[in-house]
Amino acid sequence: MADHGALLMMGKLHLTTKHYASLLYSWNVGKSWNKLRISSTNSTLYDIFTDPNSIIQTFLVQVLEIDYILKTLKKTSLYTLNFGNFHARQCVGETNPGAADSDFELWTPYGGKGRDCLLGRRIAYTRRKQDSECYNGRDVEFPVTIENCECTEADYECDFGFYRKELDSSSPCIGYKEINYTAPEDCPPGTYYEVSLGYRKITGDTCQGGVSHEPRRIPCPASRTTMSGSGLMILLLLGGIVVVILTVGYIYRNFDEVKRRLKVGGAKKGGNEFRDVRYGRIEAKIDEADDEDIIIQPSSVSKLSLIHICRCRRAI
């Protein structure tokens, strides 16, 4: 494409059969096409290059000459095609397109269905009239006008979880299940939450007014207290830290009491460690001459040999 889109060129690339490289070009925006033969030998068109901004009238064509019998490449050739002298005069009247003395007209793309709106807006481009035999030139600038259209059913599509029974924008969007109007968990009083009615505007559509399928805005309940998951986790963490601090503080202030209770508890537990030991009867011989010391000599004891010496008072 060259000369601001007024000059078009195309061709078949990378042919592997016997062929002569050729091109098709159109100077009237595709209204008619002309054939241009590039090479008279067996060759194929490899690529077409032009200015990235498409403002000049020059093409660079790369052609490969091939030996179709040996399936080898003979040589590569570059051809420059200059259409600068194709038309003698430069086009005029770009500021008043559509006028009788202007070489330009307004062109508006549309999405069919009898509307000249596409994605909710009407765009009018200035282009050269197809029958005007002139060239645009490098520095010409074309005005573009954009106007938003009123919204229609065609500007909306079904939202997630909804579908149309018919592949037509006039068919309503039906939900796979009933619409849930319950407020979300994170809904502070004084704010709003939105509930989809089954429609959403097509991405990039800029229509205004007309048919409206916007989500329904519902105020959050005033008396509802909510807390997000992250807030609950923080609250539990702070509560755990407070419990640990209070426990450590209590132990620090009452260390002696806690230590005494731990010892008493250990002693009670250790005092019963011989409760299941079975002792034999002990026979003792008492020497009455000495009323202060009593020596107990144990006899043989089954399962346990024990010598126990103690001082005690003789009972009166």
Side-chain angles (χ1 to χ4, degrees):
M1 185 170 61
D3 194 24
H4 300 275
L7 185 60
L8 305 177
M9 179 172 290
M10 65 179 181
K12 295 181 180 180
L13 304 179
H14 309 161
L15 294 177
T16 58
T17 59
K18 194 172 182 179
H19 182 74
Y20 300 113
S22 60
L23 294 167
L24 293 175
Y25 71 91
S26 173
W27 59 269
N28 52 15
V29 200
K31 185 176 181 179
S32 62
W33 293 88
N34 302 285
K35 186 174 183 179
L36 177 64
R37 187 169 178 175
I38 302 298
S39 174
S40 59
T41 59
N42 292 331
S43 57
T44 182
L45 188 64
Y46 185 78
D47 211 342
I48 303 174
F49 305 93
T50 188
D51 173 51
N53 297 320
S54 302
I55 61 176
I56 63 175
Q57 302 180 68
T58 303
F59 294 91
L60 184 64
V61 180
Q62 184 179 2
V63 176
L64 304 181
E65 187 175 338
I66 300 174
D67 188 333
Y68 288 99
I69 298 176
L70 300 176
K71 303 296 183 181
T72 57
L73 175 65
K74 287 185 177 181
K75 67 177 181 179
T76 300
S77 302
L78 294 176
Y79 297 90
T80 301
L81 304 179
N82 189 354
F83 289 83
N85 297 325
F86 193 78
H87 295 299
R89 68 180 184 88
Q90 185 173 357
C91 302
V92 295
E94 65 271 13
T95 57
N96 58 335
D101 58 347
S102 174
D103 291 314
F104 298 91
E105 63 182 357
L106 293 176
W107 176 74
T108 301
Y110 67 98
K113 299 180 181 180
R115 299 186 67 211
D116 56 356
C117 293
L118 184 63
L119 290 177
R121 54 186 174 271
R122 184 182 297 105
I123 305 178
Y125 296 95
T126 301
R127 69 175 186 180
R128 193 190 68 185
K129 293 179 180 178
Q130 290 181 307
D131 296 328
S132 294
E133 298 182 2
C134 58
Y135 65 92
N136 290 318
R138 294 173 59 96
D139 300 326
V140 65
E141 295 183 0
F142 300 108
V144 179
T145 58
I146 302 176
E147 179 185 0
N148 287 328
C149 305
E150 282 192 355
C151 296
T152 64
E153 295 289 347
D155 295 301
Y156 292 90
E157 61 184 357
C158 291
D159 204 352
F160 180 77
F162 296 82
Y163 70 99
R164 298 184 193 269
K165 289 185 177 181
E166 304 291 338
L167 297 179
D168 190 348
S169 59
S170 61
S171 177
C173 293
I174 303 173
Y176 289 101
K177 58 182 181 180
E178 294 294 330
I179 299 177
N180 184 11
Y181 293 96
T182 305
E185 293 295 330
D186 188 9
C187 191
T191 61
Y192 293 84
Y193 66 97
E194 294 184 346
V195 177
S196 174
L197 299 180
Y199 299 85
R200 63 184 178 189
K201 190 175 289 186
I202 297 174
T203 302
D205 198 298
T206 60
C207 69
Q208 296 177 344
V211 176
S212 178
H213 289 302
E214 297 299 322
R216 179 176 297 177
R217 298 186 70 214
I218 303 176
C220 293
S223 60
R224 179 169 179 164
T225 57
T226 60
M227 180 177 295
S228 62
S230 58
L232 181 60
M233 291 296 296
I234 294 175
L235 182 61
L236 292 176
L237 180 61
L238 293 176
I241 294 174
V242 171
V243 171
V244 171
I245 293 175
L246 293 177
T247 303
V248 173
Y250 176 80
I251 295 175
Y252 179 78
R253 291 192 302 270
N254 304 275
F255 181 76
D256 294 337
E257 179 65 19
V258 173
K259 184 176 180 182
R260 185 185 65 80
R261 291 185 179 182
L262 291 175
K263 285 184 176 181
V264 171
K268 289 182 179 180
K269 181 178 179 181
N272 296 328
E273 62 187 18
F274 293 105
R275 64 183 180 182
D276 295 329
V277 178
R278 298 179 62 185
Y279 294 91
R281 188 179 61 177
I282 299 177
E283 296 179 359
K285 182 180 180 180
I286 301 176
D287 187 0
E288 296 180 356
D290 190 357
D291 60 352
E292 296 293 333
D293 297 331
I294 299 177
I295 300 175
I296 302 175
Q297 297 179 351
S299 61
S300 59
V301 180
S302 62
K303 297 185 181 179
L304 179 65
S305 298
L306 177 64
I307 300 175
H308 187 193
I309 303 175
C310 64
R311 292 180 64 88
C312 60
R313 276 292 186 185
R314 183 170 57 186
I316 301 176

